[in-house]
Amino acid sequence: MKNKTIQLLLWTLITMVTKGCAKTGFGPGEQDWGYVDIRPGAHMFYWLYYTTSAEVANYTERPLAIWLQGGPGLSSTGMGNFEQLGPIDRHGNERNWTWVKQMNVLFIDSPLGSGFSYVDNVILLPSTNNEIALDLLAFLKKFYELHREFEDVQLHIFSQSYGGKMAPEFALELYKAVKRGEVKSDLKSVAIGGPWTSPIDSILARAPLLFHLGLVDRQGHDKITELAHKTLHLIEQEKWLEADEVETNQTTLIGEETHDVDFYNILKYYEDTDDEETLEDFMRGRVGQALGIPEHVKWEVIKDDLVEALREDSLKPATHIVEELLNKTNVKVSIFAGQLDVVCASPGTVNWIDKLRWLYRDEYFRAPRQAINIEGNIEGYEKSGGNFTLFWVNLAGHVVPVDNPVAMNYILKKCTGLDNE
């Protein structure tokens, strides 16, 4: 009885301390944010939103979702938060489909050097996917020290684009660390939207997609395909920097051949906008001031030093990491692909998934593809086998949470188990 009383007092104290972390930051709801020094001279920034769900008595009754932005080097706390799934957009408008209404959301500016994260010296920037994953693992260990209440809360890692490389390896390193007893975490799943997991498969799929949709003619298709095959040849020789340069040329060519179709959604075209306040101005100004960001930290959409540091790693695949997750862990893996995406065209995503070697591969291929029917509208399709699910999303490009929030809400609930409530 005495031990139970002591445990109750300790839990009450911990709850009081952790609740004390909640602050009024920028926008509605309780939040917490700050820096975690993950190694000497390396400062990773995070921004936590506690769920605003009225269906639970305590925020710990809902999962914790980590959001990792792509790029590499785009800001999770900026683009992911204000442009995609946070409680408000940068104009102050409330977002009906914010994930915060259903779960706790943790935005992390990763890799180091992105967003508000920074290093004291550029030599501390990560240069490989594994270094990014280990930095995230170091961050999460210290985050749990600050928020012990989340150790027993289900954790789900979500990401986009280049996150298709970062998130699986982070999940794998976290899983191993939990098994080694280095950290306590209830890791359940990893889900990737518009995945850059196998870059060459995405690159090879662009020309056929554009051609079959009538966005380029045969001549344009052949020119784009030629650069894709040149990229493949260089990758096979492990000439990563040269391959990266050719891939950049391919994206430029696609813009010329399609008259600037939006690379992230083929139903749109790039336009010059006269927005009075850019996202960069917004993050450096009002947001930075509200959060007390040090003056020497300059938020940028993407930082050249970080892009350069990761250039040699950019086109390397992470499919072997996905295979290891599926074969050696109990972590659920989900992919969601917008059918209007060019940068990570869904046919390319299907191609690399078809080549995966994992225990339940045959079960997956035998499984029927189900329609995602929501109130009489087909929002997409899904196919599952073992711990793996692929979602095709209709009326969506690279940024599924923005393009089709109805389908994204369905995927979110399926991945986190909230659909069973």
Side-chain angles (χ1 to χ4, degrees), residues 47-197:
W47 195 344
L48 169 68
Y49 285 82
Y50 297 89
T51 184
T52 57
S53 172
E55 298 177 9
V56 294
N58 190 291
Y59 63 89
T60 57
E61 297 175 42
R62 285 297 173 94
L64 174 64
I66 288 176
W67 178 261
L68 301 174
Q69 203 65 38
L74 297 175
S75 169
S76 175
T77 63
M79 299 193 74
N81 184 4
F82 292 103
E83 300 287 326
Q84 296 189 37
L85 52 103
I88 61 171
D89 63 24
R90 61 188 172 94
H91 303 293
N93 302 314
E94 291 193 18
R95 184 172 282 115
N96 290 331
W97 292 99
T98 175
W99 294 15
V100 180
K101 287 183 178 180
Q102 300 192 62
M103 61 195 65
N104 307 285
V105 181
L106 178 60
F107 296 99
I108 308 172
D109 278 340
S110 173
L112 277 168
S114 63
F116 286 133
S117 293
Y118 68 98
V119 292
D120 295 345
N121 191 306
V122 292
I123 64 172
L124 297 172
L125 292 172
S127 60
T128 69
N129 201 53
N130 187 249
E131 288 176 1
I132 294 172
L134 293 176
D135 281 345
L136 282 165
L137 175 61
F139 163 82
L140 197 61
K141 288 179 179 179
K142 294 199 173 184
F143 174 81
Y144 280 136
E145 291 177 6
L146 296 171
H147 292 276
R148 292 290 185 190
E149 77 275 22
F150 280 117
E151 288 182 332
D152 295 313
V153 171
Q154 289 188 6
L155 177 66
H156 303 272
I157 301 171
F158 288 85
S159 64
Q160 180 178 286
S161 196
Y162 201 88
K165 284 164 57 80
M166 299 189 298
E169 193 145 7
F170 170 35
L172 184 61
E173 292 293 348
L174 175 57
Y175 177 86
K176 292 177 179 178
V178 170
K179 289 297 182 182
R180 292 193 299 264
E182 296 177 6
V183 61
K184 185 178 180 182
S185 177
D186 190 15
L187 173 64
K188 293 295 186 183
S189 74
V190 57
I192 311 154
W196 189 244
T197 311

Side-chain angles (χ1 to χ4, degrees), residues 235-253:
I235 286 175
E236 290 173 339
Q237 299 178 74
E238 297 189 355
K239 295 181 178 179
W240 302 107
L241 293 178
E242 294 94 328
D244 182 72
E245 184 176 346
V246 175
E247 191 272 337
T248 300
N249 293 338
Q250 190 204 43
T251 62
T252 301
L253 178 62

